[in-house]
Each structure stands twice: as structure tokens, then as C-alpha cells.
Amino acid sequence: MINRILIRIKVLQIVFAFYRNDNEDPKVAENELLLSLRRSYDLYFYFLLLIVEITNLHERKVDFRKHKYLPTAEELNPNMRLVNNRFARQLETNEMLKRYAKEHGISWVNEMDFVKKVLDLILASSIYRDYVNSAKDSYEADREFWRMIFKKLICGNEEIKDALEDISIYWNDDVEIIETFVIKTIKRFTESDGSRQELLPMFKDHEDYDFAINLFRYAVRNSDVYCERITRHIKNWETERIANMDLIIMQVALAEILNYPGIPIKVTLNEYIDAAKYYSTPKSATFINGILDSIIKELKKEKLLLKS
């Protein structure tokens, strides 16, 4: 589930922190990298558990109104579509979700104000109104309701993103990426799989785990070699005036280009240029692209780089 886009972002962050902390023990930095990736995976489960918590909160509110003093006719006979949503109830019993939540202490119990805000957002939406008034009453309709809620109301919602980042500093750059994996997970659910429906693993395979650890190691262990080459290609620039993040982005990019022959150079360049647009200065992407392009040509001329 944790893809290489997210891995690259985490490695950049950890390498930046590594130098900011005066080259701390690399093993400590590696452990922080793994923790950061684990927290990203936690967010995936928090999102799934949010569906369950919203459903249960709505049920409690419906029940409270039904039993209050002098309830209205509508409160006595509420629409129970959301309370009885088959997909949400299946997710509530999911063995992997329950096990992971228990093992890692994942719960919304201390963030019920956030859960209530999301529920209110849903209840005020046209998606909810169309859902409860639809004649289609099926598992597929219930699952599609939650897919649309994530796609239209949660993904890209800056208020929700800010609230999640306040809950955990590890989620500052994870929210949008993890949201896409939640939508993919919802689409994969089938009623027949019941509580044994498989959720996404932390890594697609062991290669991605190795990629995360080794990319960090290559970037740090060979930093002198990479930085020396970068410095030689910085023409008409004073090194101390270049953003530190620019140097780190180029350093990690070179670590990937030189040590992962199976990844096309264009793919690597695009990923780190995109990172520069987000993490560094407005001019960084163009600057980094120019420097790396010059270095790549030199490496090919020296026959140190054979891939294209």
C-alpha cells in the first residue's frame, strides 16, 4: 500500500532531519524512517475505522432522539439506511481491521469532535440525501455511498486534512495519498468475503521495504561523492545560497539513479522535480532539473550510467 512516491517523500524528510541533527546515528534515522512509514499505514486504518465510528455515532444520535422527551414523528421513525449500511457493518467486523486497531492502539475515542464534524458534513450533503431517498437498497449501493463520500467530501477537503495533521505530525504529507488507497479498498470489498475481506498490506512486496531502507543508506553513505559531483555542476551559484532541501533532493535523486538500474531515469527525475515543487522554493524545480540533467550526461559519458 505504501507506494514509492510516499517512500521517496519520507526518505527526503529523514535525510533532511539527519543533517539538521548534525549527522545523528544512521541507525536512529533508519528507525525513524520505518516509524514514519508505519504511521502512514496507521492513517489507512484510521480512515477505515472512521467509517465505522461515523456509523455508530449516527446510530447513537438516532437512538437518543427516538427516546428523548416528546420526540417528533420523524424522530420516532427515522431513516435507518446509514445506520444499517451493509458495507460499514461489514467493515466493523473486519478481522484485519480489528486486529490491527487492537495491536497498534488505533481509536477515535479521543477525537469524537472530529468524527461529529465529518458526520455533520455527510448528513448535510446531497450524496446522503440521494442515498437515503434512493429506491436502490443493496450492498453495492451501500458500498458506493461510502466511496462517493470519500471521493467527493473527504478527499481534498482542507479542513479535514488540517484536522488530521493536527492529530499526528507524521500525517503532514500522507493524507492525500492514503485517501486514494482507502477508495481503492472500498471498491475491492465484496459482500461474500464478509469479515475476512483482505485489506491492503503495508508494502506491496519486500522490494518496496528494501527500497525505502536502502535508498536512505545509499543517500547518506555516499553523500560526499554525490555532493562533490553536484557542487561541480553548480555554475554561477554560491553553494551556501542554494536551499538545503535542493541539495538533499539532488543527493537522494542521484542515489536512486545510480543504484536502481531498473527504474527509468525519467521516472526518477519526474518524482524528485515534483518533490522540489512542493518542498522547496518556487525556482527549485527548474534549477534541480538543470543540474541533474547535466550530471546525468556526465555520468553517461563516463560510462557510469548505462540506463536511459
Side-chain angles (χ1 to χ4, degrees), residues 1-4 7 41 181 200-209:
M1 188 215 76
I2 294 178
N3 61 14
R4 295 201 174 186
I7 288 172
Y41 194 44
F181 285 110
L200 297 177
M202 182 171 174
F203 293 101
K204 181 181 67 176
D205 50 43
H206 202 73
E207 285 185 11
D208 281 352
Y209 172 86

Side-chain angles (χ1 to χ4, degrees), residues 83-127:
V83 171
N84 296 326
N85 183 281
R86 299 171 184 84
F87 168 76
R89 294 309 179 189
Q90 178 187 11
L91 191 57
E92 185 176 26
T93 66
N94 185 270
E95 294 175 5
M96 187 173 174
L97 176 59
K98 291 196 297 182
R99 182 170 60 251
Y100 191 94
K102 183 178 180 180
E103 290 176 356
H104 297 276
I106 290 177
S107 170
W108 287 103
V109 67
N110 295 321
E111 304 293 341
M112 291 310 296
D113 286 343
F114 173 77
V115 177
K116 182 180 181 302
K117 285 182 180 180
V118 181
L119 172 60
D120 290 343
L121 177 68
I122 292 170
L123 296 180
S125 70
S126 59
I127 298 172

Side-chain angles (χ1 to χ4, degrees), residues 44-291:
Y44 170 68
F45 285 91
Y46 269 102
F47 269 131
L48 293 176
L49 197 60
L50 181 62
I51 295 173
V52 176
E53 290 296 340
I54 287 171
T55 305
N56 288 338
L57 176 60
H58 182 58
E59 181 178 24
R60 291 195 297 271
K61 291 169 76 74
V62 167
D63 187 65
F64 174 79
R65 294 190 186 108
K66 187 184 295 186
H67 293 92
K68 75 176 187 179
Y69 183 65
L70 296 178
T72 65
E74 183 180 355
E75 289 170 335
L76 283 171
N77 299 282
N79 189 305
M80 300 294 285
R81 286 290 298 273
L82 180 54
V83 171
N84 296 326
N85 183 281
R86 299 171 184 84
F87 168 76
R89 294 309 179 189
Q90 178 187 11
L91 191 57
E92 185 176 26
T93 66
N94 185 270
E95 294 175 5
M96 187 173 174
L97 176 59
K98 291 196 297 182
R99 182 170 60 251
Y100 191 94
K102 183 178 180 180
E103 290 176 356
H104 297 276
I106 290 177
S107 170
W108 287 103
V109 67
N110 295 321
E111 304 293 341
M112 291 310 296
D113 286 343
F114 173 77
V115 177
K116 182 180 181 302
K117 285 182 180 180
V118 181
L119 172 60
D120 290 343
L121 177 68
I122 292 170
L123 296 180
S125 70
S126 59
I127 298 172
Y128 173 75
R129 184 174 62 251
D130 293 343
Y131 169 65
V132 296
N133 292 323
S134 174
K136 296 180 180 179
D137 185 9
S138 65
Y139 173 86
E140 288 71 24
D142 288 352
R143 183 186 59 201
E144 177 63 12
F145 166 76
W146 277 109
R147 189 186 73 84
M148 291 299 294
I149 289 297
F150 264 86
K151 184 176 180 179
K152 300 293 186 180
L153 297 185
I154 295 179
C155 288
N157 186 310
E158 289 300 319
E159 188 174 350
I160 289 177
K161 182 179 178 182
D162 291 343
L164 288 169
E165 290 175 354
D166 287 342
I167 293 172
S168 174
I169 60 172
Y170 288 99
W171 297 343
N172 288 352
D173 303 295
D174 300 356
V175 176
E176 293 177 2
I177 294 175
I178 302 302
E179 284 171 343
T180 64
F181 285 110
V182 173
I183 291 175
K184 289 179 181 179
T185 297
I186 293 172
K187 290 171 66 176
R188 288 178 50 180
F189 261 64
T190 61
E191 189 172 19
S192 60
D193 281 334
S195 64
R196 296 187 177 182
Q197 173 75 47
E198 289 188 6
L199 304 181
L200 297 177
M202 182 171 174
F203 293 101
K204 181 181 67 176
D205 50 43
H206 202 73
E207 285 185 11
D208 281 352
Y209 172 86
D210 289 342
F211 177 75
I213 295 298
N214 290 326
L215 182 60
F216 169 78
R217 290 175 179 172
Y218 290 136
V220 171
R221 290 175 182 175
N222 302 321
S223 61
D224 290 345
V225 176
Y226 301 148
C227 289
E228 188 276 332
R229 194 175 286 270
I230 290 167
T231 301
R232 283 195 284 110
H233 284 263
I234 299 174
K235 300 175 182 177
N236 303 319
W237 291 82
E238 295 178 28
T239 306
E240 62 269 17
R241 296 184 62 183
I242 298 170
N244 286 338
M245 182 53 81
D246 287 1
L247 296 173
I248 288 170
I249 289 172
M250 289 188 284
Q251 179 182 332
V252 177
L254 282 178
E256 182 172 325
I257 289 169
L258 288 167
N259 294 285
Y260 289 92
I263 302 176
I265 291 175
K266 186 176 180 180
V267 171
T268 299
L269 286 176
N270 287 341
E271 292 295 343
Y272 289 100
I273 289 168
D274 283 346
K277 294 174 184 177
Y278 189 82
Y279 291 102
S280 201
T281 70
K283 297 180 180 180
S284 291
T286 301
F287 168 68
I288 288 172
N289 187 39
I291 298 299

